[in-house]
Structures are given as C-alpha cells and as structure tokens.
Amino acid sequence: MSFNSKYHIDVDFEVPKKLQWYYAPAFFGFWLVLYLSLVNTQMNHMPRPLTRSDEASHPNSFIAQRAEDTLIELTRIGPRVVGSMANEESAVEFLRAEVAKVESEMSDLLEIEVDVQQASGAYMHWEMVNMYQGIQNVVVKLSEKNSTNENYLLINSHYDSVPGSPGAGDDGSMVVTMLEVMRVIAKSGDPLAHPIVFLFNGAEENPLQASHAFITQHKWAKNCKALINLDSAGSGGREILFQSGPNHPWLMNYYRNVPHPFANTLAEELFQAGYIPSDTDFRIFRDYGGVPGLDMAYIFNGYVYHTKYDRINAFPRASFQHTGDNVLSLARALANAPELDDTAAHSEGHNIFYDFLGWFMIFYTETTSIIVNVVVTLLALLGVGISIYFMSLRSGCSWKGVLLRFSISIAIQFVSLILAIGLALLVALFMDGVDRSMSWFTSSWTIFGLYLAPIVFGLSILPALYLEKTKRDPLGLGFRIQLFMHSHCICLIVIMLTLTGLSIRSAYLIMLCILFDIVALIVNLVTKWHRKAYLFAIAVTVCQILPFVFFTYLCTVALVTLMPMQGRSGSSTNPDMVIAALVWLFSLMFAGFIAPLIMFFRKTRTIVLCFLGITILFIIIAVTNAGFPYKEKTSPQRYSLIHAHRRLHNADGSTRIDESGLYIYPQDRRFGIAKDNIAAIGEAHQVSDFCDEEMFCGMPLYNHRWNKARQYSMWIETSESPEIPTEYPMLVLQDSSELETSAQRRFNFTLAGPSHMGIFINVKNDARILNWSFNDTLIRQQAEPPYMVYFSYGLDDSPLEFTIDVEKTTSTFDTPTLEIGIGGHWVTQDITAIEKLSSYINRFPSYAYIQGWVGTYETWYF
C-alpha cells in the first residue's frame, strides 16, 4: 500500500478499518465477566469448614466447629471491658478452663505451664501517657517435656473488647483459634524444637496495655524470638497478613507454605503510614521487645467492628477454618524453625510480598525489588525504542516525525492522567459539598459510576479527540494507539522510579504493570503483529488478562477494607476523596493499557462520552434516597456519646462551671444527617468553642483521638444529671514538700475512681514541670503543656499515687501552680440499665449505633 503524502513510501503496514461501535459492549462485557467469574469468586472463596464428625478422619487438623462452639461460650460472657467482672474474672476463668481441657487431652510428650500475669506500667501512646494498673494476661507455654531450648515462638490475641461489644470478631475469633491450634498441637504430640507461648492478653483495647505489660515484664518475654499476632478489624472473611518482619524476610519462607495465603506489602505500607484507623499489639512487641513476626487480621465486614453487632452470627464458620489452617501451619513450622535460635543472623531488610488470588505467594527482598525495578525500566525503554524505530521504518514517517508524535502522545497521556484524577476528585468534592458523601458506604456498586466511570472518561477523551483530529495522519491508527500505550508506559516508569526513590516498596505494583506491557510488546515485535492492528490488539488483550485480574483483585480488597473504615475515620476529611484517589490509582494499573483499545471502535467519542453519562446518572442516583449510606445492623452510622457532669473550680475553690450534658463524638463525615435528632435533644455547641478558655476544652475526653476530633464533636447541655453508679473520682493532695530550693516543690496526690480515667495536667504562673512519677517521655522531650494521662486498672483498684515536681522562677507557690482535671468514665456498665442515658440514645436514628456511657469531669487548682 502507499500513502498519498509527502512521505510517499510503499510500506507493508495494514491500515485497519475501525470495528463497528456495537462491538464495544462485548469488549467491556469481557472484562466484566472476567472480574465476576474469577476475581469476585476468589475474593469470597473459603475452605470447607471441618465439623466434629470430621475429627476422626482429620486427627491433626483444625476443626472449625470446635472453635465456633468455644466462641459461642466466650461471647455469652458479654462485653469484656478492662476493669469489668466479665473481663477480669469470668474471661480469665473461662480461658483457664479451656486450657485445662487441652491439658487433659495432651500427648505425654508435651507439657503445659500456665501463668496469669497481673502487671502495672506506662508508656507513650499517640501523644498521651498510657498508664495501667493490675491488668491481666493469661499466658500458656506449650513445650516438649524436659525441653531446654530458651528460644520461644509467641502467638498473641486479646480477649478484652470495647464497651458495648460482644467482641466475637474482635478478637474472640482469634482467641478461640489459638485455643484450637493449641489443642491440635498438644494432642498430636508433634515435635516442638522451640516452646510456643500462647498469650491471651486482657487489655488491648485500652489501648495495647497488656502486650506492653507482657513484653516488658513477663518472665518469658525475653525468650520470645518470633511472633504471630492475631487481631481483627472486621468480622470473618479471609485474614490478611499485613505486616511482616521488620527486616526478617526469612519469616515469609514459612508463610508462603500456608494453605490459604493472603498477604500484601501495600496493606503493610498503608497501615504503617497511618491510613488505617487502628493499631495492633504487633507494634508493641516490635518497638519494646524487638520481636520480629507476622501480623494477621480479619478485614472484611468492618461495618460491625467495635459495635454491638460484632456477634457470633456475623462470623462465618468457614473463616475459622481459613485462619485455623494457616495459623496451625505457621505454628508448627516456626516452632521448628532453626532461625529462632539466632534471629539476628537472619535480619536482611524489608520484604516485598503479595499473593495471587490466594493461590500462591511471591516475595523477595527490598534490595531485589530495586534491582528488578531498574531492570524492568531499562527493558521497557529499550522495547519502546525498538517499537518506535520499526514504526518509522514501516510507516514511511521519519524517526523525527514518529518521535514528535510520541512526544505529543506523552503530553496528552500525562494530561489525561491528571484529568482522570481531577474529575474523580471533582465528583468527590461535589458529593461532599451537597452533603451526599459516603453514598457507597452500603451500596458499593455506586463506586463504578461515581468514580471509575469518570476516570475512564478522563483517560480516554483526550486521546479519542486527538486521534479523531489526526485521522488522516500518515502514521496508521494502530501505530498511533501503540504510541499512547507507550506513553502510558513512560508515565508509569516515572511513577515507579519516584516511588522506588522514596523507598516505597509498593512500587512493585507499577513494575508489574510495566512488565506485562513489555511482554505484550515483545510478543508483537517477535511475531510482527505490531504491523497488524487487530492482531496487536489481541496480543495486548491476552497479556492484560493477568494484570487486570490481579489489580482488580487488589482494588476490591482495598475497597472492602477501607469503605467500612471511613465510617470511623472521623469527620475532618472527605472520605470520597480517599475512595476517588484509590480507584484512580488502581485504574492506572488495570485500565491504563486497556483504555486505548477503545480507539479501535467506531464512534469512539460517543463511546467515551457514555462514561460521562454514566457518571451523571450515578450522581443523580447517589443524591436521592437510593444513595442513603446507612443500614441498621449491617452498616450503621457510628457515634460515641457520654452523658457527663462537668464541674470546674476556680483558684479560690469556688465553682465557675457546674453543668450536665451530652458529649457527642461523630465518627464519620455525614454527622449532619442526624442534625434534626440532635437538635431535638438541645442546642449543640462545637467542643472546639471551649478550647481557648479551658484546658483540653474542659471536657471528659476519653483519649487523645477524641482531642483531635474536638472540632467536629458537640456538647449539649441537659437539665438531667447523669446516673453515676459510684462515687465521683476523688483527687486528694496528700502533701507538698520543698525540693532542692524554695523555687522547687513536689506535689503528692492520690486518685480513686472508676476503672477508666483521664488525668489532664497544666501549669500556671510560669511554672515548669521538672519531673513526675508517670512515664517521663513528655518531660524529657520538653513537650508543651497541657498533658494527658490515660489511666485504667483491671483487678487492682487501689488508689493511684503519683507525684509532680514543679519549679517556679518568677512567682511564688502562693499563686496557683498546677491545674489538674480528672475525667471519669464508667465504660463497664450495661447502658440499657441506665435509664436517662438510654433515653438519649433512643433519640438517634435507628440506623445509628451509639457507643455510650456516663462520665464526669472536674478540675482543681493547686
């Protein structure tokens, strides 16, 4: 063929006729069917749960029904809040009884030692001192008889729960999993080169106090050389490995052999960057004990997490089998791992790890990842260069002409990426601006129209318009579409190298995109299909199947994890922005090389505009009642509420504020949706309005996270006082004594009150705190006052004694020196038995879940 142009050269490139537009739905349908038939099914694929009737034929296997039956008994105890009889006595007795059952069936080759630890201590958590007294751990060591090995494997979960929650998923499910794993290993008599310490910790929700008590004080702590941490941010599904090591890649050698792998470096980096509003004991073991390990948790169905709906009926039996099989496999392997004898010798840096649909694991070190990323970059640039050379050779265009077109394509592709994220963020801003954010919270399918559709439109419209304007270009349509694919490859290379330079290990995701594009390019160059547009397109489509499946799988996992979390991530940020950015990021990977194939269809611009139409349609749906985000029991809206009495004293002992009210802490962006219900209770004031006048706003803040959320929290004064079940917290100044000079003085206090209290400390009249009996990190770091101390106790309810050393250089101690506030929180009470509190909770919409209790706040000057 020949082109009638200034190039006028005979070439053998096939100029394709565009496919009819009505083939486009089949093209999109292919990818949809692929997603539904493979990704969606594998997301929910679970092993068959074994029942007690299977035990005879599977004597060394995890029995899911046993774990389920044990969880039923555990949750019958009710909410297990630190300081409650349920947590400190009933749960401990339950665990000791279950361990005794294991011991009665145990092989003669093994032995069990049980220790119930009671400990007190303190450490820094967030920006507050986290202090505990008399909290408990039930610790069980399983070992071979007469074992002399002093290097142990630690397996941890927690049996306490948040106020008002039965804690079936978090973390009762993992507690009973550990019990069943212990039973199977103990009964089988399998060799244990290293003893296994099963730590059932009784104060994780406080937060993370019991793990700190174990790793800093227990007699077996120094022997623990590796960790399996089991927690939950959901209820059921597949547990994900989301933290590994750190710096101990050998652990993944054992994890990759589990029956049902589910792990990803991206989850680890998102968690460690603080994008997940949770924390686990893994951090305590890592930071205070230097124990490397594996951190695993449930992440699906996070809607019921930390609510009264976290019940056994929301937890599928198959999840026990999935997790039990994996933990049992890991426990057996790590308890016999030679690396435990000298873990320091195997410290080699961070891992990159990920599974493929739960079928198998891939992992390698960070150093290997950097090398791979660089090699793939060089191969991609070489492949693109060769492709451009053949384009100039076969098309009749000079290489300069092809390079010019390539440069234009790169510019258009770059702008398209910006346009795609811009449109998605614009939708997110609009939805938030009209107070319709989180419309996907219950109806996740709306994400397709709200965010994926505008992203596909943004990625495609500019290339479509450009190709339409240049349809008489001597460079054939197939080659020009290839240039857009090469342009996307160049953009991804820039992103990958940037992420690699920032030591972001998730750059491997971009590397995989580029790698499969290179594979398609090599196939096309070797077969010479790059000359024949439709054969080229077929090769690209086939080579994109694996990355499409993998990246849509990861995208789905990320969405089902993060969507429920937006319901407890606070009101300060627009959650739709998070979802929009996430969908855009994954769209670059699973759709970036597929979108250009749309250009092979006739009426390309109309096809692309359909995605814009879909976006508009879904926005209309989302702003109607069809987009209402909440649903009772399955996806509720969350609030925390304290019916509190606050009393603030002046320096002369008189009272300046004495009132009762409701402290309301909305946990998501759509708190305005219940404004009429809240207004019916009384006039609401932003808590932040009080912060300039009072230390920590003069409110009974539960922890420092509440302090950060004060701008969106509310205080409603009420005429009714809360029904406080015991005496108010009592702070007593026992004495004050001079230190080295008359400008320095020690204040000795005692504090008695409920099991959870906040201690708020400020200085007055140029005073400076020299030291105190709390954890001294804030003092050493010379942090600016005021300070917050979170204090809780378990069995030991004796008064807390503490001292504060103060220096005054410009005034005397005749003027106020310290302002101390005490917040009391009766979180162990059954709120249904507190009539006034229940009446306020019942005024909220039926779709709202209220975590409530009664409290007090009182301040004094000293």
Side-chain angles (χ1 to χ4, degrees):
M1 66 180 68
S2 63
F3 292 103
N4 293 321
S5 69
K6 61 181 179 179
Y7 300 100
H8 200 75
I9 182 171
D10 288 337
V11 295
D12 57 358
F13 178 74
E14 175 187 327
V15 179
K17 292 182 179 179
K18 281 194 169 188
L19 293 170
Q20 292 295 333
W21 65 268
Y22 45 76
Y23 289 113
F27 173 74
F28 296 122
F30 167 77
W31 300 107
L32 178 60
V33 169
L34 188 63
Y35 173 80
L36 294 175
S37 62
L38 191 55
V39 176
N40 193 53
T41 55
Q42 285 303 123
M43 275 286 299
N44 301 302
H45 177 72
M46 303 289 282
R48 181 182 73 85
L50 298 181
T51 63
R52 290 179 182 270
S53 61
D54 295 312
E55 194 170 344
S57 57
H58 298 79
N60 296 320
S61 297
F62 186 96
I63 306 299
Q65 188 180 15
R66 277 184 168 272
E68 183 181 60
D69 291 345
T70 307
L71 183 58
I72 291 172
E73 294 302 315
L74 177 61
T75 54
R76 280 177 179 164
I77 296 174
R80 301 171 299 282
V81 184
V82 171
S84 67
M85 295 288 288
N87 194 68
E88 307 308 328
E89 294 188 12
S90 301
V92 173
E93 291 171 2
F94 172 84
L95 289 169
R96 296 196 71 149
E98 290 299 316
V99 174
K101 292 178 186 177
V102 172
E103 197 168 5
S104 67
E105 300 179 25
M106 184 173 56
S107 165
D108 292 336
L109 301 175
L110 302 176
E111 62 182 1
I112 278 179
E113 184 177 349
V114 182
D115 181 52
V116 179
Q117 180 192 19
Q118 189 178 148
S120 302
Y123 72 100
M124 284 299 300
H125 190 80
W126 300 320
E127 298 172 13
M128 69 184 186
V129 175
N130 190 8
M131 189 173 188
Y132 53 90
Q133 176 178 290
I135 59 91
Q136 297 186 97
N137 287 312
V138 178
V139 194
V140 182
K141 184 173 74 170
L142 176 65
S143 60
E144 293 182 345
K145 282 188 175 178
N146 304 316
S147 172
T148 59
N149 195 302
E150 296 184 350
N151 301 303
Y152 306 163
L153 169 66
L154 174 63
I155 307 179
N156 172 74
S157 66
H158 67 92
Y159 60 84
D160 67 313
S161 67
V162 297
S165 175
D170 181 30
D171 194 27
S173 59
M174 291 302 192
V175 168
V176 300
T177 295
M178 281 175 53
L179 287 169
E180 176 63 7
V181 166
M182 183 196 305
R183 183 195 69 82
V184 174
I185 294 176
K187 188 174 182 179
S188 67
D190 290 344
L192 295 178
H194 305 279
I196 303 176
V197 172
F198 293 87
L199 172 57
F200 302 94
N201 91 62
E204 189 269 354
E205 300 291 3
N206 266 34
L208 315 183
Q209 292 174 344
S211 55
H212 181 268
F214 174 83
I215 204 63
T216 59
Q217 301 178 46
H218 197 272
K219 61 183 178 181
W220 295 330
K222 65 180 182 299
N223 301 104
C224 295
K225 304 301 181 182
L227 163 72
I228 302 173
N229 189 60
L230 303 172
D231 210 333
S232 177
S235 184
R238 302 154 63 207
E239 86 290 342
I240 187 171
L241 170 65
F242 63 100
Q243 292 192 93
S244 170
N247 300 317
H248 285 265
W250 62 272
L251 288 163
M252 294 304 298
N253 281 321
Y254 295 96
Y255 182 81
R256 69 176 176 181
N257 294 320
V258 301
H260 321 294
F262 183 33
N264 203 283
T265 295
L266 177 62
E268 179 177 72
E269 293 195 314
L270 286 174
F271 186 86
Q272 293 177 353
Y275 293 112
I276 307 300
S278 296
D279 205 351
T280 76
D281 290 316
F282 182 90
R283 182 176 68 82
I284 301 298
F285 295 124
R286 179 195 67 198
D287 294 351
Y288 291 92
V291 183
L294 303 171
D295 200 5
M296 302 158 66
Y298 292 115
I299 56 173
F300 295 168
N301 194 18
Y303 298 104
V304 302
Y305 169 77
H306 282 190
T307 73
K308 65 181 180 182
Y309 306 118
D310 185 11
R311 301 167 179 157
I312 183 66
N313 59 2
F315 196 94
R317 181 183 288 181
S319 293
F320 288 116
Q321 197 66 50
H322 189 280
T323 305
D325 288 346
N326 286 346
V327 175
L328 180 59
S329 172
L330 279 172
R332 283 171 166 159
L334 291 176
N336 292 286
E339 290 89 348
L340 258 66
D341 290 318
D342 188 5
T343 55
H346 300 277
S347 178
E348 302 175 23
H350 286 293
N351 271 330
I352 280 78
F353 56 90
Y354 50 95
D355 72 289
F356 183 79
L357 300 183
W359 295 346
F360 57 85
M361 281 292 300
I362 297 174
F363 78 97
Y364 43 89
T365 66
E366 185 175 16
T367 302
T368 301
S369 173
I370 294 172
I371 295 171
V372 169
N373 292 353
V374 171
V375 169
V376 168
T377 296
L378 295 175
L379 287 175
L381 293 175
L382 178 63
V384 169
I386 293 173
S387 176
I388 290 175
Y389 168 75
F390 278 118
M391 284 185 194
S392 65
L393 190 67
R394 299 294 180 182
S395 68
C397 292
S398 67
W399 65 270
K400 289 184 179 179
V402 176
L403 282 178
L404 176 61
R405 291 166 173 79
F406 186 36
S407 299
I408 294 172
S409 298
I410 290 175
I412 293 173
Q413 186 64 20
F414 177 77
V415 173
S416 297
L417 297 182
I418 302 301
L419 178 62
I421 184 63
L423 289 172
L425 295 179
L426 183 63
V427 172
L429 288 171
F430 174 79
M431 296 302 293
D432 188 56
V434 297
D435 199 23
R436 289 297 185 272
S437 61
M438 298 180 64
S439 58
W440 35 262
F441 191 65
T442 294
S443 304
S444 58
W445 52 270
T446 59
I447 288 178
F448 168 77
L450 289 176
Y451 298 113
L452 180 58
I455 288 169
V456 174
F457 172 78
L459 288 175
S460 307
I461 188 62
L462 295 181
L465 293 174
Y466 173 75
L467 291 177
E468 184 178 325
K469 290 290 184 181
T470 59
K471 58 186 176 182
R472 297 187 181 278
D473 193 295
L475 190 65
L477 175 65
F479 280 154
R480 284 182 289 144
I481 292 175
Q482 288 181 50
L483 285 180
F484 276 108
M485 292 187 174
H486 296 338
S487 299
H488 189 63
C489 181
I490 295 298
C491 291
L492 292 181
I493 287 173
V494 172
I495 295 172
M496 180 183 70
L497 294 179
T498 301
L499 295 177
T500 303
L502 295 173
S503 298
I504 297 175
R505 287 169 288 144
S506 296
Y508 84 89
L509 294 168
I510 310 298
M511 179 275 296
L512 290 174
C513 290
I514 299 169
L515 179 63
F516 279 94
D517 180 55
I518 294 171
V519 171
L521 182 57
I522 291 173
V523 168
N524 277 311
L525 289 174
V526 170
T527 60
K528 299 183 180 181
W529 287 354
H530 65 288
R531 306 179 187 178
K532 304 179 184 297
Y534 293 135
L535 290 178
F536 152 79
I538 291 172
V540 170
T541 300
V542 171
C543 291
Q544 283 299 308
I545 289 176
L546 278 179
F548 175 83
V549 168
F550 179 65
F551 292 124
T552 53
Y553 167 70
L554 286 187
C555 185
T556 305
V557 170
L559 286 173
V560 299
T561 303
L562 290 176
M563 283 191 303
M565 288 181 179
Q566 301 313 301
R568 56 186 175 89
S569 294
S571 307
S572 60
T573 57
N574 179 1
D576 278 56
M577 301 283 277
V578 175
I579 300 300
L582 183 72
V583 175
W584 174 79
L585 178 63
F586 279 103
S587 295
L588 300 190
M589 294 182 272
F590 70 73
F593 292 109
I594 295 174
L597 298 178
I598 299 173
M599 311 305 158
F600 280 115
F601 296 100
R602 292 183 180 275
K603 299 185 178 181
T604 303
R605 182 171 52 174
T606 303
I607 294 171
V608 172
L609 284 171
C610 285
F611 286 95
L612 182 61
I614 291 171
T615 303
I616 295 171
L617 174 63
F618 272 69
I619 290 174
I620 294 172
I621 293 173
V623 299
T624 66
N625 289 335
F628 189 76
Y630 308 113
K631 191 173 181 180
E632 186 178 0
K633 296 182 180 180
T634 55
S635 49
Q637 186 181 31
R638 298 168 185 251
Y639 294 86
S640 291
L641 182 148
I642 306 175
H643 188 198
H645 179 212
R646 62 186 195 125
R647 189 162 51 203
L648 282 61
H649 301 288
N650 295 313
D652 61 4
S654 61
T655 301
R656 66 179 182 275
I657 295 177
D658 188 350
E659 66 180 20
S660 297
L662 297 179
Y663 188 108
I664 302 173
Y665 169 21
Q667 296 191 22
D668 72 15
R669 186 70 165 183
R670 291 290 297 275
F671 63 91
I673 203 169
K675 62 181 179 181
D676 291 339
N677 302 77
I678 294 172
I681 299 173
E683 184 180 359
H685 301 274
Q686 280 191 338
V687 169
S688 56
D689 293 344
F690 303 94
C691 297
D692 291 336
E693 301 174 3
E694 303 293 345
M695 171 182 62
F696 284 104
C697 312
M699 296 290 173
L701 304 178
Y702 186 60
N703 57 40
H704 219 282
R705 182 173 287 171
W706 287 49
N707 183 47
K708 291 182 177 180
R710 62 188 183 274
Q711 182 178 353
Y712 295 93
S713 298
M714 292 166 278
W715 173 258
I716 301 176
E717 187 177 351
T718 63
S719 58
E720 295 182 311
S721 299
E723 300 169 86
I724 304 300
T726 62
E727 294 293 329
Y728 280 34
M730 183 174 294
L731 177 69
V732 178
L733 174 62
Q734 297 294 342
D735 62 70
S736 64
S737 57
E738 188 176 294
L739 296 177
E740 296 178 359
T741 71
S742 60
Q744 298 177 350
R745 186 169 291 272
R746 170 169 292 171
F747 294 82
N748 294 283
F749 296 94
T750 60
L751 173 65
S755 60
H756 292 69
M757 290 184 281
I759 306 171
F760 307 89
I761 302 170
N762 201 5
V763 291
K764 295 295 181 179
N765 297 311
D766 299 321
R768 180 173 68 92
I769 295 179
L770 300 174
N771 201 359
W772 59 17
S773 56
F774 305 120
N775 179 282
D776 66 351
T777 303
L778 290 173
I779 307 304
R780 285 189 292 101
Q781 295 178 349
Q782 298 182 350
E784 288 294 319
Y787 309 114
M788 180 178 184
V789 179
Y790 177 95
F791 173 68
S792 66
Y793 60 77
L795 272 184
D796 182 3
D797 62 354
S798 59
L800 171 68
E801 299 179 358
F802 64 94
T803 62
I804 304 176
D805 297 344
V806 184
E807 180 180 56
K808 274 187 168 182
T809 56
T810 61
S811 62
T812 69
F813 286 97
D814 294 332
T815 59
T817 303
L818 293 170
E819 181 185 12
I820 298 181
I822 302 296
H825 301 274
W826 283 261
V827 296
T828 63
Q829 307 299 309
D830 179 5
I831 62 174
T832 60
I834 305 175
E835 183 179 349
K836 293 177 184 177
L837 176 61
S838 296
S839 68
Y840 287 121
I841 289 176
N842 291 336
R843 298 188 193 185
F844 281 78
S846 60
Y847 56 78
Y849 169 70
I850 313 300
Q851 183 186 59
W853 59 83
V854 294
T856 61
Y857 182 71
E858 192 165 7
T859 64
W860 302 266
Y861 286 96
F862 299 95

CSV table of all heavy atoms in Angstrom, one decimal, residues 147 150 340 408 493 514 518 593 674 687 797 846:
chain,number,residue,atom,x,y,z
A,147,SER,N,12.3,-29.9,77.9
A,147,SER,CA,12.9,-29.0,76.8
A,147,SER,C,13.9,-28.0,77.5
A,147,SER,O,13.5,-27.4,78.5
A,147,SER,CB,11.9,-28.3,76.0
A,147,SER,OG,12.5,-27.4,75.2
A,150,GLU,N,15.7,-22.2,74.9
A,150,GLU,CA,15.2,-21.0,75.5
A,150,GLU,C,14.8,-20.0,74.5
A,150,GLU,O,14.7,-18.8,74.8
A,150,GLU,CB,16.4,-20.4,76.4
A,150,GLU,CG,16.7,-21.3,77.6
A,150,GLU,CD,17.8,-20.6,78.4
A,150,GLU,OE1,18.4,-19.6,78.0
A,150,GLU,OE2,18.0,-21.2,79.5
A,340,LEU,N,15.0,-19.4,64.7
A,340,LEU,CA,14.7,-18.9,66.0
A,340,LEU,C,15.8,-19.0,67.0
A,340,LEU,O,15.9,-18.2,68.0
A,340,LEU,CB,13.5,-19.7,66.6
A,340,LEU,CG,12.1,-19.0,66.6
A,340,LEU,CD1,11.7,-18.8,65.1
A,340,LEU,CD2,11.1,-19.7,67.4
A,408,ILE,N,4.0,14.2,21.6
A,408,ILE,CA,2.6,14.7,21.8
A,408,ILE,C,1.7,13.7,22.5
A,408,ILE,O,0.9,14.1,23.4
A,408,ILE,CB,2.0,15.0,20.4
A,408,ILE,CG1,2.7,16.2,19.7
A,408,ILE,CG2,0.5,15.4,20.5
A,408,ILE,CD1,2.3,16.4,18.2
A,493,ILE,N,6.6,4.5,34.3
A,493,ILE,CA,8.1,4.4,34.7
A,493,ILE,C,8.5,5.5,35.6
A,493,ILE,O,9.2,5.3,36.6
A,493,ILE,CB,8.9,4.4,33.4
A,493,ILE,CG1,8.8,3.0,32.7
A,493,ILE,CG2,10.4,4.6,33.7
A,493,ILE,CD1,9.5,3.0,31.3
A,514,ILE,N,4.2,-2.5,34.1
A,514,ILE,CA,5.2,-2.3,33.0
A,514,ILE,C,5.6,-3.6,32.5
A,514,ILE,O,5.8,-3.8,31.2
A,514,ILE,CB,6.3,-1.4,33.5
A,514,ILE,CG1,5.8,-0.1,34.0
A,514,ILE,CG2,7.4,-1.3,32.5
A,514,ILE,CD1,6.9,0.7,34.8
A,518,ILE,N,5.5,-4.9,28.6
A,518,ILE,CA,6.7,-5.3,27.9
A,518,ILE,C,6.5,-6.7,27.3
A,518,ILE,O,6.9,-6.9,26.1
A,518,ILE,CB,7.9,-5.4,28.8
A,518,ILE,CG1,8.3,-4.0,29.4
A,518,ILE,CG2,9.1,-6.0,28.1
A,518,ILE,CD1,9.3,-4.1,30.5
A,593,PHE,N,-3.7,0.3,30.1
A,593,PHE,CA,-3.3,-0.3,28.8
A,593,PHE,C,-4.5,-0.8,28.1
A,593,PHE,O,-4.4,-1.3,26.9
A,593,PHE,CB,-2.3,-1.3,29.0
A,593,PHE,CG,-0.9,-0.8,29.4
A,593,PHE,CD1,-0.5,-1.1,30.7
A,593,PHE,CD2,-0.2,0.0,28.6
A,593,PHE,CE1,0.7,-0.6,31.1
A,593,PHE,CE2,1.1,0.5,29.0
A,593,PHE,CZ,1.5,0.2,30.3
A,674,ALA,N,-28.0,13.5,61.0
A,674,ALA,CA,-28.8,13.4,62.2
A,674,ALA,C,-29.0,14.7,63.0
A,674,ALA,O,-29.3,14.7,64.2
A,674,ALA,CB,-28.2,12.3,63.1
A,687,VAL,N,-17.3,21.5,70.4
A,687,VAL,CA,-16.4,21.4,71.6
A,687,VAL,C,-15.3,22.3,71.4
A,687,VAL,O,-14.8,22.9,72.4
A,687,VAL,CB,-16.0,19.9,71.7
A,687,VAL,CG1,-14.8,19.8,72.7
A,687,VAL,CG2,-17.1,19.0,72.2
A,797,ASP,N,-7.8,-2.2,92.1
A,797,ASP,CA,-8.5,-0.9,92.1
A,797,ASP,C,-8.0,0.0,93.2
A,797,ASP,O,-8.7,1.0,93.6
A,797,ASP,CB,-10.0,-1.1,92.2
A,797,ASP,CG,-10.4,-1.8,93.5
A,797,ASP,OD1,-9.5,-2.2,94.2
A,797,ASP,OD2,-11.6,-2.0,93.7
A,846,SER,N,-32.6,5.1,63.9
A,846,SER,CA,-32.5,3.6,64.0
A,846,SER,C,-31.2,3.1,63.4
A,846,SER,O,-30.7,2.0,63.8
A,846,SER,CB,-33.7,2.9,63.5
A,846,SER,OG,-33.9,3.2,62.1
